[in-house]
């Protein structure tokens, strides 16, 4: 069976939502805007068409915080496209985009095909590492990253430029 689903959401409080769901550790922030679509058989998502766009603002959970997180992604016939993942903290910004394909068999996972771009300006590495669960005190310094990476036929290519200051 083919399902067609679409939805939008705006102005959803993460604090109220986490309380309603019963999370012991409430999240704070706002799902500012979101849109999703899905067309296909839910039992075979690799052959479906789907898209997601979401913007979170003022996200706080435990000791983790981000001013803005934006995500845009699309899935079409085994191809996934990360249109943008953008993370903004007070002194930190990260932007990722790229595309790849789901493998047609299990051995394909060892031979990935992807292309991606990264751009980051991290002014407080400890704060940024804390966003992903690390202890902020274990990291310090500033780093700037810019690059493009790709993989095909078990070969990795591209370029990556990184400069750091007072890293520990």
């Amino acid at each position: 069976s083919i399902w067609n689903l679409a939805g939008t959401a705006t102005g959803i409080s993460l604090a109220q939502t986490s309380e309603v769901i019963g999370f012991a550790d409430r999240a704070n922030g706002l799902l500012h805007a979101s849109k999703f679509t899905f067309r296909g058989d839910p039992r075979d998502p690799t052959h479906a068409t789907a898209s997601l766009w979401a913007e979170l603002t003022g996200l706080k959970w435990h000791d983790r915080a981000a001013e803005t997180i934006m995500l845009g992604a699309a899935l079409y016939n085994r191809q996934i496209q990360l249109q943008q993942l953008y993370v903004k903290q007070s002194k930190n910004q990260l932007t990722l985009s790229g595309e790849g394909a789901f493998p047609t068999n299990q051995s394909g996972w060892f031979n990935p095909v992807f292309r991606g771009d990264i751009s980051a300006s991290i002014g407080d590495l400890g704060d940024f590492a804390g966003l992903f669960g690390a202890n902020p005190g274990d990291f310090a310094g500033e780093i700037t990253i810019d690059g493009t990476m790709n993989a095909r036929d078990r070969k990795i290519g591209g370029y990556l430029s990184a400069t750091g200051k007072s890293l520990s």
Side-chain angles (χ1 to χ4, degrees), residues 46-91:
T46 59
H47 289 95
T49 301
S51 65
L52 171 68
W53 181 83
E55 179 180 348
L56 296 163
T57 56
L59 178 66
K60 290 183 182 173
W61 184 54
H62 293 279
D63 294 332
R64 301 173 181 140
E67 292 173 21
T68 304
I69 298 177
M70 288 188 276
L71 172 68
L75 173 69
Y76 178 75
N77 196 25
R78 303 186 88 83
Q79 302 289 320
I80 187 160
Q81 179 183 31
L82 177 61
Q83 296 155 338
Q84 181 181 49
L85 172 61
Y86 174 74
V87 179
K88 168 81 169 100
Q89 286 180 308
S90 61
K91 296 180 179 180

Side-chain angles (χ1 to χ4, degrees):
S1 64
I2 301 296
W3 289 33
N4 286 308
L5 301 170
T8 61
T10 58
I12 295 177
S13 166
L14 298 179
Q16 291 175 343
T17 302
S18 64
E19 184 178 334
V20 167
I21 294 172
F23 287 158
D25 299 322
R26 288 181 26 181
N28 289 310
L30 183 70
L31 177 60
H32 183 72
S34 177
K35 179 180 179 181
F36 74 91
T37 62
F38 178 88
R39 183 178 195 299
D41 185 344
R43 295 168 296 181
D44 186 14
T46 59
H47 289 95
T49 301
S51 65
L52 171 68
W53 181 83
E55 179 180 348
L56 296 163
T57 56
L59 178 66
K60 290 183 182 173
W61 184 54
H62 293 279
D63 294 332
R64 301 173 181 140
E67 292 173 21
T68 304
I69 298 177
M70 288 188 276
L71 172 68
L75 173 69
Y76 178 75
N77 196 25
R78 303 186 88 83
Q79 302 289 320
I80 187 160
Q81 179 183 31
L82 177 61
Q83 296 155 338
Q84 181 181 49
L85 172 61
Y86 174 74
V87 179
K88 168 81 169 100
Q89 286 180 308
S90 61
K91 296 180 179 180
N92 306 316
Q93 292 186 55
L94 169 73
T95 303
L96 297 172
S97 63
E99 55 191 43
F102 287 109
T104 56
N105 55 43
Q106 288 183 345
S107 65
W109 289 103
F110 298 107
N111 189 20
V113 175
F114 74 88
R115 181 205 60 77
D117 298 315
I118 183 171
S119 175
S121 175
I122 310 298
D124 184 343
L125 188 57
D127 192 30
F128 192 71
L131 182 62
F132 299 98
N135 181 359
D138 291 344
F139 299 87
E142 302 174 13
I143 191 166
T144 302
I145 301 170
D146 185 41
T148 298
M149 300 296 293
N150 59 63
R152 180 177 289 280
D153 300 324
R154 296 188 180 203
K155 296 179 183 172
I156 296 175
Y159 75 92
L160 187 64
S161 170
T163 57
K165 179 179 174 185
S166 302
L167 294 173
S168 65

